[in-house]
Amino acid sequence: TGIAVFLAAVVLRGKLKKTETGQEALVGAAAVVKEEIAQGGLGLVMLTGELWRAEASEAIAAGTNVIVERVDGLKVFVKRA
């Protein structure tokens, strides 16, 4: 009976958790700057195996780990991790 309770809890947890897809799944994701981002300018980041156009409020050098704050179309806004 202990195994049945455990399995029921796992199934219930999976049903209650909202599945995130698309843009909402990218917010909070880790990325790596591939092309320097100038302050208030654009650069490139590697995110989920793809290159994305990125913008940041500060200059960020290539090779820096960043976190996605928000997504606007095909552009992500990032901050240092």
Side-chain angles (χ1 to χ4, degrees), residues 1 27 42:
T1 59
V27 175
L42 296 174

Side-chain angles (χ1 to χ4, degrees), residues 15-79:
K15 296 254 184 210
L16 295 177
K17 183 178 179 190
K18 181 182 174 191
T19 302
E20 293 183 342
T21 59
Q23 292 183 354
E24 62 207 28
L26 297 177
V27 175
V32 178
V33 177
K34 292 297 183 181
E35 177 185 286
E36 180 181 4
I37 304 171
Q39 183 174 359
L42 296 174
L44 292 174
V45 297
M46 181 64 70
L47 173 64
T48 64
E50 299 177 333
L51 284 174
W52 283 75
R53 181 77 48 205
E55 186 174 330
S57 61
E58 62 178 326
I60 304 177
T64 304
N65 292 323
V66 293
I67 301 293
V68 176
E69 293 185 294
R70 65 186 174 98
V71 181
D72 182 15
L74 297 176
K75 180 171 59 174
V76 294
F77 293 80
V78 299
K79 66 178 181 180

